Amino acid sequence: MNCLRSSEQILMDEMVPSPESLATKDHTSSVHSSRAGEAGQKPDTGNIEEAESSLRESGCLNYEEARALLGRYEYQKGNIEAALHVFEGIDIASVIPKLKLALAERVQTQKRRSRSFSTPPLSINAASLLLEAVFLKAKSLQALQRYKEAAQSCTVLLDILESSLPAGLPETFATDCKLQDTLNKAVELLPELCKLADAPREAIMSYRRALLHQWNLDIQTTAKIQKEFAIFLLYSGGESCPPNLQSQMDGSFVPRNNIEEAILLLMILLKKISLQRIEWDPSILDHLSYALSISGGLKVLASKVEELLPRTIDRQEMYLILALCYYGGEDNFTALNLLRKLLSSTEDLTCVPGLLLASKVCAESPDCAREGIIYAHRAIESLQERCSQLLGVANCVLGLSLSAHSRTILTDSERVKIHSDALKSFESAGKLTKMSDTNVIYHLCLENAEQRKLDVAVHYVNWFLKLEGGSTLKGSMLLARVLSAQKRFLDAETVINVALEQSGKWDHGELLRTKAKLQIAQGQVKNAIETYTQILAILQVQRKSFRLGEDLKEFGDHCRTLELETWLDLASIYIKLSQWRDAEKCLSKTEAISSYSACRLYTAGLLNQSKGLYKAALGDYSNALAVNPSHVPSLVSSAVVLRKIGKQSPAIIRSLLTEALRLDRMNASAWYNLGLLYKEGGLGSAAEAADCFEAAIILEETEPVEPFR
């Protein structure tokens, strides 16, 4: 006792409680050596008090307890190898039954609220001391990078506590000893050790064990484990088997994969934050944003952000996150309204990310393009003499807004000026980003292609492909379209064939459709029909391979759209060949896919028009325009049929054609028919008719097999 009460140092070589307690004699030399230079360091008085308490109950320290106490002392001094040597001398296998009995007996005693007449083999303090020794042994092994052995030691500790205390550690234990603290640390440590030992499956099992067993952990410890587990599930790179939650009630949600399990954990953490049980941690929202964005749950993320209490998250950040969520969920209207509120006079006027996003959203709606130009200019003004890369992005979104705005302008002079400004903005963006931003290069190519600067467009699309590291679906499609506009159909088909070889089977649909149109342009109608048949075969295999649920909704919509377009393309081929029965069969296939599609109604009109049923054709075109008033082919075809019928005034026909040209200035058919109207109807001069015919010829000579966008 005098030895243990010493406030200067523990002289373990002077402890003589019994021959059995001389367990440290094989390590005396290491103790003496470790005391060199440590004479002034005091041991933890809390350890000594526990030892005293143990001695009062049992009378002396036995062999294992003495080693546990000495090992802890060496560990606290930083003598890791010496501590491990001491801990390895403890025969934990022989002590486990005593530990389990002592813990179980203590629980029963506390339940009866009276002292048991039977004497446990170990006091609770002695049990706590030995269990801490097992934990410190794991920590020592971890420090020595023996991670697998450390995980085994930690597992032994948790196995003892789990089997002895199936209902968890009683709260009263915390007032008597350090057992709860040791348990908290062990539960946190085991998954980390498994990760360090390169055992991801065991790490996931240990995380689940930590969260599902009744450990009576405090809420902060549980939250920390949940966050670390979610991060591991998201970024570990492996896919684990889903949890077997037999204890859950019927109908409860059970995660099917890593992403769903991580999302569940992160949502639980956000709920705790909303209930103010844990402090706000921005990284939780960052990880949840990533998880939901890759799984298509952006609107769910928006609802979770909206549930956060005021002042939990910065107001500006909240608006930006919500706007991104709704924009990603294809709700541009809500996203733009949120951004308008953020960028209003009462909010931050210089929020560059908000300005850039608002300009990008506006660029996707020609009616809002003028507003997008204003936002882009504000962003450029805020970024002067700042980040050149971000300034390049601002110039790019300005170009997008200008290009969209140009499509709403009627006068040629103003439209040419806006087109020129858009191209200058993209070129400025390219210089500021040092021609390394693929998005900027792609839009440079698009803008030049639409202005029929085809050689420049080819240069940019080749540069885009180089930056992308070879053939990409997006780049190959654009290159093939530009080459087709140059009437280099063989070169364009070669590009598509290379892309087909380098892409996966599920990506072949769009490529094959472009190939079929290239074959039609070369007069290879039979080959084109065979190519379309390949597309339908791929789509049939995809339907059998996937059950399109909510998680595959976007993929399913894409497949249905491609199938509809394929049948309509085939119907158009048969209409041109006057094979009307085959065309009708193709149209009947599309009715089940989308009976109210503007494209389907337009193709039905073409069939009736080819049969000479002009009134029926006009009805089909009118129905198509009722579904989509901006459907340019229906506007042009309506004008053609009305001109052939000859019962409508030329002014109505002209209004249809001018509306078509307002929506698509590069439509050669609209210019040609407007020229015919001017020539025959007396609404315009011969010079105007000649200008229309000239525009039609130029556009037809540079028309791609598919629109550039």
Side-chain angles (χ1 to χ4, degrees):
M1 292 292 293
N2 289 334
C3 167
L4 290 171
R5 287 174 180 161
S6 171
S7 61
E8 296 297 327
Q9 57 186 1
I10 296 180
L11 303 176
M12 297 304 293
D13 52 330
E14 294 179 8
M15 287 179 61
V16 194
S18 69
E20 200 178 51
S21 67
L22 294 176
T24 58
K25 63 184 180 180
D26 61 330
H27 203 64
T28 302
S29 58
S30 70
V31 175
H32 283 295
S33 63
S34 67
R35 291 207 312 264
E38 300 281 347
Q41 182 175 345
K42 296 182 181 180
D44 187 353
T45 57
N47 299 345
I48 296 175
E49 288 172 2
E50 287 185 23
E52 287 187 44
S53 180
S54 179
L55 283 169
R56 289 192 189 102
E57 294 183 12
S58 62
C60 66
L61 290 173
N62 63 20
Y63 181 90
E64 286 80 11
E65 293 167 35
R67 276 193 172 272
L69 191 60
L70 176 60
R72 179 168 65 183
Y73 178 67
E74 293 289 352
Y75 182 84
Q76 288 173 343
K77 291 202 316 179
N79 299 331
I80 303 301
E81 292 187 3
L84 181 59
H85 184 81
V86 176
F87 289 137
E88 287 178 336
I90 300 175
D91 186 5
I92 193 64
S94 64
V95 179
I96 286 176
K98 298 178 183 179
L99 286 170
K100 291 182 177 180
L101 189 59
L103 293 171
E105 181 66 25
R106 179 57 179 267
V107 172
Q108 292 301 321
T109 300
Q110 296 209 354
K111 283 183 179 179
R112 292 192 295 267
R113 297 180 180 271
S114 63
R115 295 193 61 82
S116 174
F117 292 102
S118 61
T119 304
L122 289 173
S123 69
I124 192 62
N125 285 296
S128 176
L129 181 65
L130 289 169
L131 289 170
E132 185 190 24
V134 178
F135 172 73
L136 292 178
K137 179 182 177 182
K139 292 290 291 181
S140 301
L141 288 165
Q142 180 190 15
L144 297 172
Q145 299 183 6
R146 294 161 62 178
Y147 303 124
K148 188 174 182 179
E149 297 172 63
Q152 291 171 350
S153 180
C154 206
T155 302
V156 168
L157 170 59
L158 295 180
D159 286 344
I160 294 170
L161 291 171
E162 187 174 14
S163 59
S164 305
L165 308 168
L169 199 64
E171 294 180 2
T172 53
F173 271 38
T175 60
D176 298 336
C177 61
K178 294 173 59 180
L179 191 53
Q180 184 67 59
D181 183 55
T182 302
L183 172 60
N184 289 358
K185 292 177 180 177
V187 168
E188 284 187 61
L189 179 63
L190 182 56
E192 296 301 320
L193 293 173
C194 293
K195 289 189 288 186
L196 291 169
D198 195 20
R201 183 173 177 274
E202 288 74 13
I204 289 174
M205 291 174 63
S206 61
Y207 273 124
R208 289 174 180 163
R209 181 184 188 183
L211 296 173
L212 295 175
H213 186 70
Q214 298 290 335
W215 299 113
N216 290 341
L217 304 176
D218 63 88
I219 193 166
Q220 299 297 333
T221 301
T222 303
K224 183 179 178 182
I225 294 171
Q226 287 172 330
K227 177 185 171 183
E228 293 299 324
F229 186 22
I231 291 171
F232 183 72
L233 288 169
L234 284 175
Y235 310 114
S236 63
E239 187 65 43
S240 66
C241 58
N244 181 19
L245 305 182
Q246 297 178 352
S247 61
Q248 285 202 342
M249 297 175 61
D250 292 339
S252 297
F253 173 74
V254 178
R256 293 173 294 177
N257 51 49
N258 282 16
I259 303 297
E260 287 190 358
E261 193 169 359
I263 290 172
L264 178 61
L265 290 164
L266 293 167
M267 283 187 172
I268 291 171
L269 288 170
L270 269 190
K271 188 69 174 178
K272 290 179 179 179
I273 291 171
S274 298
L275 297 173
Q276 296 183 313
R277 293 180 181 174
I278 59 175
E279 294 182 359
W280 166 243
D281 182 354
S283 65
I284 292 173
L285 189 58
D286 292 340
H287 295 305
L288 183 60
S289 300
Y290 168 73
L292 287 172
S293 64
I294 63 175
S295 59
L298 289 173
K299 289 192 176 180
V300 177
L301 176 61
S303 67
K304 292 302 172 184
V305 173
E306 289 167 349
E307 289 175 5
L308 294 174
L309 293 173
R311 294 186 296 276
T312 300
I313 183 174
D314 180 72
R315 187 179 180 85
Q316 175 179 303
E317 184 181 0
M318 182 184 72
Y319 278 135
L320 277 174
I321 292 172
L322 289 175
L324 283 166
C325 288
Y326 284 111
Y327 176 66
E330 299 182 354
D331 188 352
N332 289 13
F333 178 77
T334 304
L336 187 55
N337 281 339
L338 284 164
L339 291 166
R340 284 168 176 163
K341 189 171 183 180
L342 171 63
L343 302 170
S344 65
S345 58
T346 57
E347 299 291 343
D348 187 354
L349 295 173
T350 59
C351 176
V352 172
L355 290 167
L356 295 176
L357 180 59
S359 181
K360 188 175 189 299
V361 175
C362 289
E364 296 181 12
S365 175
D367 294 335
C368 299
R370 186 184 291 274
E371 186 181 358
I373 294 170
I374 296 171
Y375 290 135
H377 279 304
R378 282 170 58 182
I380 291 171
E381 290 174 6
S382 300
L383 287 167
Q384 290 301 328
E385 299 180 0
R386 289 172 61 185
C387 175
S388 60
Q389 194 76 15
L390 204 53
L391 189 58
V393 175
N395 276 276
C396 182
V397 295
L398 174 60
L400 292 174
S401 295
L402 287 167
S403 180
H405 181 51
S406 69
R407 292 192 285 274
T408 65
I409 297 172
L410 289 177
T411 61
D412 289 337
S413 58
E414 189 178 359
R415 188 176 61 257
V416 169
K417 181 182 181 304
I418 297 293
H419 265 306
S420 177
D421 291 343
L423 196 54
K424 287 178 182 177
S425 295
F426 286 126
E427 289 171 349
S428 297
K431 291 176 183 177
L432 288 164
T433 56
K434 299 180 180 179
M435 300 298 288
S436 60
D437 189 321
T438 55
N439 187 52
V440 173
I441 304 302
Y442 183 81
H443 286 292
L444 263 172
C445 174
L446 269 181
E447 196 63 30
N448 278 285
E450 289 198 330
Q451 295 186 30
R452 297 304 192 263
K453 299 177 181 179
L454 299 178
D455 290 336
V456 180
V458 169
H459 166 74
Y460 281 124
V461 74
N462 282 324
W463 184 251
F464 172 82
L465 289 169
K466 182 179 179 181
L467 290 175
E468 288 286 337
S471 178
T472 64
L473 182 62
K474 183 178 178 181
S476 297
M477 295 282 284
L478 183 56
L479 177 58
R481 289 168 183 172
V482 175
L483 291 173
S484 72
Q486 293 180 318
K487 307 308 175 188
R488 295 165 59 184
F489 298 121
L490 283 176
D491 292 340
E493 191 172 351
T494 301
V495 170
I496 295 298
N497 288 333
V498 171
L500 286 168
E501 292 175 1
Q502 296 180 351
S503 60
K505 195 73 174 178
W506 293 162
D507 294 328
H508 284 186
E510 291 289 346
L511 292 168
L512 287 171
R513 185 166 182 248
T514 302
K515 181 177 180 178
K517 291 191 174 184
L518 289 168
Q519 290 169 335
I520 292 171
Q522 297 173 77
Q524 302 171 5
V525 178
K526 186 177 180 180
N527 292 341
I529 293 173
E530 291 177 359
T531 304
Y532 280 123
T533 305
Q534 291 179 41
I535 299 174
L536 294 172
I538 290 172
L539 292 171
Q540 187 175 5
V541 172
Q542 286 178 334
R543 277 197 300 270
K544 291 181 179 179
S545 301
F546 296 104
R547 292 182 178 179
L548 300 176
E550 290 185 2
D551 54 333
L552 292 172
K553 183 177 181 303
E554 184 179 350
F555 178 77
D557 291 342
H558 172 74
C559 288
R560 282 189 289 273
T561 300
L562 180 59
E563 185 177 7
L564 175 68
E565 291 171 344
T566 302
W567 283 117
L568 293 177
D569 287 348
L570 280 170
S572 297
I573 291 174
Y574 291 129
I575 289 170
K576 290 177 181 178
L577 296 173
S578 298
Q579 297 179 16
W580 296 330
R581 183 170 295 181
D582 290 332
E584 288 170 353
K585 288 180 181 179
C586 293
L587 280 172
S588 67
K589 295 286 187 180
T590 63
E591 188 170 1
I593 303 171
S594 179
S595 57
Y596 294 103
S597 164
C599 293
R600 178 185 179 278
L601 293 167
Y602 165 72
T603 307
L606 287 180
L607 177 59
N608 283 318
Q609 184 179 339
S610 67
K611 292 179 179 179
L613 305 173
Y614 296 122
K615 288 185 179 180
L618 189 60
D620 290 325
Y621 297 142
S622 298
N623 290 334
L625 290 171
V627 174
N628 180 11
S630 301
H631 194 251
V632 174
S634 294
L635 288 168
V636 176
S637 294
S638 295
V640 171
V641 171
L642 287 172
R643 192 172 60 81
K644 285 185 177 180
I645 293 175
K647 292 183 179 181
Q648 291 291 340
S649 68
I652 294 176
I653 299 173
R654 183 176 62 178
S655 67
L656 290 169
L657 293 171
T658 53
E659 176 63 13
L661 289 171
R662 185 187 71 80
L663 295 167
D664 181 10
R665 300 294 297 184
M666 299 298 182
N667 192 293
S669 179
W671 283 111
Y672 174 73
N673 283 284
L674 186 60
L676 289 177
L677 184 66
Y678 286 158
K679 179 184 176 182
E680 298 170 1
L683 290 176
S685 64
E688 288 177 318
D691 289 341
C692 290
F693 289 137
E694 184 180 0
I697 292 170
I698 293 172
L699 290 172
E700 190 175 15
E701 288 177 350
T702 58
E703 186 177 12
V705 294
E706 288 181 309
F708 294 115
R709 292 187 186 275

